[in-house]
C-alpha cells in the first residue's frame, strides 16, 4: 500500500527530531519536515501531502496563518491539519485554529500514546476516504457502462422491431396471395382429391401465419406496444364457434371434443374477444397436438359475479401424454418446451404458452396448468369480464361472391405484388367494381391525376414511391375532388405505429394482410357510402 506523506512544521529542530522519533513506529508514514513555513508551503504544493502537524508559535508566520494559506488554495485545501501548541487551552485559541481550517489539536509536551493514537486515527480516516474515492470512481464507471448497455439494448430492440416489421411484411405478402387463391379455388368445382390437397395447403398456410403472428405478438408485448381492445361480443357464439371449429379437427384424430357450460353464463360480455380466442385456441390446439386417444373437454364456468362483472374460467382438459412435474413450471416461458424428445416428435416453437401468459397478464387474468404424465393435462384461463352494454351486430357469414354488388364503383388498386393485385382485382370484380391496377406510388399519383376514383386501395410498401408518400402527394393536390378521394391502405405490417402512420397521412382505413374478404367488403362499402352521402 502507498505510504502517506506527513509534513511536520516546527521552527525548532529539536521538536521535529522528537516528533519524528515518536512517529517512527507507524510504518504507513513517510515524514517530511521543515522549520521554515515558506519552504513547508512549497512542499505542500509540490508533494502529495495528506496530513500536516503544524506548530502554532513560529516567528515568520504563525501556525494559524499557515493553515489559512493551505485552506485557501485548491491544491492544498484537502490536507488534514493537526495544530501542535504549547499555548493555553483557552477556547479563543481553539476557535482561531478551527476557523483557520485545522481539524485537531495536540498539546505540548506531547504525550506519545495520544499523539500516535491521533495520527493513527487520521491515517485510518485517509485510507477510508481513499477507498470511498476508488469506489465512487468504480461506481461512476459502471454507471457509464450501464448507460451504454441500456442504449445498446434499446438500439438492439429497435433493430429487432424494424427487422420484424420488414419480415412480417415480406412473409405476409406471399401468404396473402396463397390464401386468397385458396379462397377463390374453394368456390370453384373441384374433385375430392383436389379438395383434400387444398385442405393441406390451407392448413400449411394457416400454420405459417400462426408462427409469424406468434413471433410478432411476443415482440410487441416485449416492447410494450401491444394493445388490448375491449369490445362487446357474444360469449355464446364464441363458445359455439370454438365447438364447431375444433369438433372437426378432433374428429380427424378420432378424439371426442366436449363442450361444457357451468353456471348462469351471460350471453354477451365486454372483453378482448380476439385475445380470448388466441388463449383458448392455444390451449385446445396443444391438447389436439399432444393427445392420441380419448377426449378434449372445453369447460366454461361462471365463478363469481361482482362489481367488475363476471369472473369466468375457461378450462381445457385432455387425456394426452401429460407433462413431467419438473417441466410444468417452465412451459409458460418463451422458447421452453416439455422435453427434447417431445419437441422432436411434435415440433412447435415453444412460444404459444409464453404469449398466453403475457396476454393473461395484460388482460388482468390468470393462467395455470395441472398435469399427470400418461393421464392428461389441464390448462385454464380466468378473468373478469365486464357486463355487455349493447346488443351484438352480426357479421355476414356467407361466401364473398354472394355479397350485395357494388355496381360501377371505380377503384384504383396500387399493389406491386402481381399475385395480390390479381386477387384483389378478382374479388372487387365479383362485386361489380371497375378496377384499374398500378404498381407503385408514382403510377398511383399519375392515375389519380387523370381520373377520379371512388376509392384508392393502396399498398404501403412499394418501389419508386411508397404508399405513404403517394397518399401525402394525393392529399396535397389542389383539386378538392382528388384530394378528398377516400384511400384505404393495405399493409402486411401489423405494427401499431405503422398503422397509425397510415392514418396520420390521411388513410380512411387500414386493412391488414392477409385480408379477410368480409372486412375488405365492409370497409369498401362504408367508404363508398360515406362519400356518396358527402357528395
Ligand atoms: P409449442 O407447442 O409450440 O412447443 P407451447 O408454448 O404451446 O409451444 O407449449 C410448450 C410446451 O408445453 C410444449 O412443447 C409441450 O411440451 C407442453 N405442452 C403444452 N400443452 C400441452 C398438453 N396439452 N399436453 C402435453 N404437453 C403440453
Amino acid at each position: 500500500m502507498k505510504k502517506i506523506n506527513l509534513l511536520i512544521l516546527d521552527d525548532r529542530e529539536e521538536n521535529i527530531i522528537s516528533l519524528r522519533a515518536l512517529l517512527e513506529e507507524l510504518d504507513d508514514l513517510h515524514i517530511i519536515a521543515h522549520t521554515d513555513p515558506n519552504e513547508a508551503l512549497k512542499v505542500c504544493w509540490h508533494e502529495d501531502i495528506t496530513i500536516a502537524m503544524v506548530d502554532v508559535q513560529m516567528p515568520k508566520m504563525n501556525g494559524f496563518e499557515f493553515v489559512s494559506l493551505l485552506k485557501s488554495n485548491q491544491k492544498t485545501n484537502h490536507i488534514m491539519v493537526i495544530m501542535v501548541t504549547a499555548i493555553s487551552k483557552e477556547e479563543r485559541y481553539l476557535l482561531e485554529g478551527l476557523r483557520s481550517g485545522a481539524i485537531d489539536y495536540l498539546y505540548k509536551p506531547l504525550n506519545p500514546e495520544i499523539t500516535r493514537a491521533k495520527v493513527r486515527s487520521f491515517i485510518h480516516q485517509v485510507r477510508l476516504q481513499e477507498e470511498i474515492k476508488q469506489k465512487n470512481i468504480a461506481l461512476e464507471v459502471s454507471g457509464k457502462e450501464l448507460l451504454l448497455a441500456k442504449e445498446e439494448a434499446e438500439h438492439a430492440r429497435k433493430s429487432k422491431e424494424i427487422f420484424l416489421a420488414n419480415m412480417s411484411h415480406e412473409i405476409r405478402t406471399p401468404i396473402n396471395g396463397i390464401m386468397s387463391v385458396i379462397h377463390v379455388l374453394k368456390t370453384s368445382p373441384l374433385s375430392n382429391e383436389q379438395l383434400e390437397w387444398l385442405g393441406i395447403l390451407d392448413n400449411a398456410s394457416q400454420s405459417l401465419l400462426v408462427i409469424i403472428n406468434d413471433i410478432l405478438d411476443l415482440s410487441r408485448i416485449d416492447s410494450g406496444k401491444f394493445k388490448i381492445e375491449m369490445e362487446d361480443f357474444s360469449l355464446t357464439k364464441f363458445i359455439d364457434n370454438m365447438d364447431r371449429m375444433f369438433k372437426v379437427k378432433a374428429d380427424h384424430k378420432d378424439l371426442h371434443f366436449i363442450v361444457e357450460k357451468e353456471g348462469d353464463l351471460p350471453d354477451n360480455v365486454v372483453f378482448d374477444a380476439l385475445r380470448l380466442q388466441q388463449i383458448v385456441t392455444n390451449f385446445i390446439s396443444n391438447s389436439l397436438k399432444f393427445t392420441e386417444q380419448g377426449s378434449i373437454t372445453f369447460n366454461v364456468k361462471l365463478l363469481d359475479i361482482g362489481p367488475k362483472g363476471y369472473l369466468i374460467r375457461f378450462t381445457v382438459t385432455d387425456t394426452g401424454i401429460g407433462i413431467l412435474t419438473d417441466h410444468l413450471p417452465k412451459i409458460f416461458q418463451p422458447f421452453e418446451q416439455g422435453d427434447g424428445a417431445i419437441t422432436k416428435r411434435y415440433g412447435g416453437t415453444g412460444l404459444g404458452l409464453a404469449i398466453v401468459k403475457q396476454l393473461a397478464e395484460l388482460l388482468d387474468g390468470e393462467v395455470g396448468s395441472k398435469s399427470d404424465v400418461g393421464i392428461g393435462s389441464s390448462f385454464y384461463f380466468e378473468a373478469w369480464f365486464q357486463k355487455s352494454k349493447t346488443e351484438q351486430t352480426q357479421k355476414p357469414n356467407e361466401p364473398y361472391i354472394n355479397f350485395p354488388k357494388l355496381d360501377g364503383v371505380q377503384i384504383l388498386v396500387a399493389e406491386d405484388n402481381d399475385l395480390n393485385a390479381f386477387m384483389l382485382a378478382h374479388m372487387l370484380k365479383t362485386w361489380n367494381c371497375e378496377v384499374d391496377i398500378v404498381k407503385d406510388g408514382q403510377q398511383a399519383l399519375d392515375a389519380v391525376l387523370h381520373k377520379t376514383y371512388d376509392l384508392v386501395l393502396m399498398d404501403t410498401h412499394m418501389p419508386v414511391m411508397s404508399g405513404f408518400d403517394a397518399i401525402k402527394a394525393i392529399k396535397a393536390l389542389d383539386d378538392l375532388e382528388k384530394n378528398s378521394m377516400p384511400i384505404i391502405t393495405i399493409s402486411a405490417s401489423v405494427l401499431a405505429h405503422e398503422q397509425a402512420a397510415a392514418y396520420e397521412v390521411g388513410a380512411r382505413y387500414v386493412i391488414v394482410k392477409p385480408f379477410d374478404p368480409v372486412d375488405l367488403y365492409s370497409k369498401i362499402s362504408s367508404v363508398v357510402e360515406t362519400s356518396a352521402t358527402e357528395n
Side-chain angles (χ1 to χ4, degrees), residues 412-416 421 436-440 443-444 447 462:
L412 174 70
V413 173
E415 162 68 271
D416 61 319
D436 288 338
I437 300 174
V438 290
K439 290 188 164 216
D440 62 52
Q443 288 179 8
M462 284 186 294

Side-chain angles (χ1 to χ4, degrees), residues 44-218:
C44 288
W45 288 335
H46 299 299
E47 306 286 331
D48 179 22
I49 302 292
T50 313
I51 305 171
M53 301 184 79
V54 180
D55 183 24
V56 173
Q57 289 155 310
M58 289 180 292
K60 279 191 193 162
M61 183 193 292
N62 76 33
F64 301 134
E65 288 162 345
F66 178 81
V67 177
S68 296
L69 285 174
L70 282 187
K71 294 294 160 187
S72 62
N73 190 316
Q74 251 194 348
K75 262 168 112 180
T76 52
N77 64 5
H78 65 279
I79 299 174
M80 298 168 129
V81 183
I82 306 173
M83 305 299 273
V84 184
T85 176
I87 54 178
S88 108
K89 298 177 192 173
E90 275 180 39
E91 266 181 14
R92 66 190 168 101
Y93 291 112
L94 271 175
L95 275 178
E96 199 174 338
L98 294 174
R99 268 192 216 117
S100 66
I103 309 188
D104 213 336
Y105 272 93
L106 278 171
Y107 298 102
K108 290 178 189 169
L110 293 173
N111 174 317
E113 289 309 317
I114 292 179
T115 306
R116 277 194 290 266
K118 204 155 259 184
V119 173
R120 232 183 242 122
S121 101
F122 271 59
I123 292 171
H124 182 63
Q125 227 173 303
V126 170
R127 294 281 184 227
L128 276 181
Q129 274 176 7
E130 257 170 26
E131 209 175 304
I132 292 171
K133 214 159 120 192
Q134 290 308 324
K135 288 207 166 128
N136 273 339
I137 291 170
L139 214 66
E140 223 170 274
V141 170
S142 63
K144 276 185 192 152
E145 282 171 357
L146 216 66
L147 214 68
L148 212 68
K150 192 174 160 260
E151 275 168 18
E152 276 170 12
E154 184 61 17
H155 180 72
R157 193 188 64 68
K158 282 209 176 114
S159 321
K160 189 178 91 176
E161 208 189 310
I162 293 168
F163 167 74
L164 286 172
N166 290 339
M167 187 188 76
S168 110
H169 180 261
E170 293 306 321
I171 300 179
R172 277 165 167 270
T173 302
I175 299 181
N176 185 43
I178 296 168
M179 290 173 96
S180 305
V181 174
I182 295 171
H183 274 301
V184 178
L185 280 180
K186 273 185 183 166
T187 63
S188 64
L190 292 171
S191 71
N192 283 346
E193 198 183 16
Q194 284 169 327
L195 267 175
E196 207 177 302
W197 291 345
L198 203 58
I200 295 169
L201 203 58
D202 202 4
N203 276 340
S205 43
Q206 298 280 4
S207 312
L208 200 58
L209 200 61
V210 167
I211 294 173
I212 173 138
N213 282 345
D214 275 1
I215 295 174
L216 278 165
D217 277 355
L218 203 65

Side-chain angles (χ1 to χ4, degrees), residues 14-29:
E14 65 271 24
N15 283 349
I16 291 178
I17 292 168
S18 69
L19 199 50
R20 251 188 206 283
L22 213 148
L23 298 175
E24 211 160 38
E25 66 183 66
L26 306 179
D27 22 280
D28 261 4
L29 284 180

Side-chain angles (χ1 to χ4, degrees), residues 283-284 286-288 290-291 293-297 316-322 371 375-379:
F283 289 162
I284 305 179
N286 274 345
S287 285
L288 276 169
F290 296 109
T291 308
Q293 57 185 28
S295 62
I296 293 162
T297 308
V316 177
T317 310
D318 63 48
T319 54
I321 58 170
S371 190
I375 295 175
S377 315
S378 160
F379 286 81

Side-chain angles (χ1 to χ4, degrees), residues 223-384:
S223 61
K225 289 200 172 141
F226 202 91
K227 279 212 192 93
I228 292 298
E229 279 169 28
M230 293 295 176
E231 59 175 315
D232 213 308
F233 72 99
S234 161
L235 182 63
T236 316
K237 290 215 172 79
F238 170 81
I239 299 170
D240 288 349
N241 282 344
M242 290 288 136
D243 192 7
R244 218 174 307 129
M245 187 154 87
F246 287 106
K247 206 159 233 145
V248 181
K249 295 193 176 181
D251 266 358
H252 284 149
K253 278 189 90 175
D254 273 341
L255 297 170
H256 294 291
F257 188 73
I258 305 155
V259 173
E260 293 173 350
K261 293 187 199 176
E262 275 187 67
D264 196 6
L265 286 163
D267 272 337
N268 292 322
V269 285
V270 176
F271 203 71
D272 190 326
L274 191 69
R275 302 305 159 200
L276 174 66
Q277 180 175 343
Q278 203 173 345
I279 293 172
V280 172
T281 304
N282 225 295
F283 289 162
I284 305 179
S285 301
N286 274 345
S287 285
L288 276 169
K289 183 165 148 188
F290 296 109
T291 308
E292 299 305 335
Q293 57 185 28
S295 62
I296 293 162
T297 308
F298 175 40
N299 177 289
V300 185
K301 185 176 181 181
L302 178 68
L303 298 178
D304 198 3
I305 302 179
K308 285 202 271 179
Y310 307 96
L311 180 62
I312 304 174
R313 177 183 286 180
F314 301 78
T315 313
V316 177
T317 310
D318 63 48
T319 54
I321 58 170
I323 303 161
L324 291 170
T325 319
D326 286 357
H327 292 145
L328 207 53
K330 287 197 280 182
I331 57 172
F332 283 102
Q333 290 167 17
F335 307 105
E336 285 288 349
Q337 297 180 309
D339 69 39
I342 288 176
T343 312
K344 270 195 203 122
R345 190 161 157 216
Y346 293 93
T349 54
L351 288 176
L353 292 178
I355 294 170
V356 162
K357 180 151 198 306
Q358 301 203 25
L359 285 180
E361 277 166 16
L362 289 172
L363 292 161
D364 274 338
E366 192 185 301
V367 282
S369 61
K370 277 190 287 191
S371 190
D372 281 311
V373 174
I375 295 175
S377 315
S378 160
F379 286 81
Y380 76 86
F381 164 69
E382 70 180 49
W384 284 96

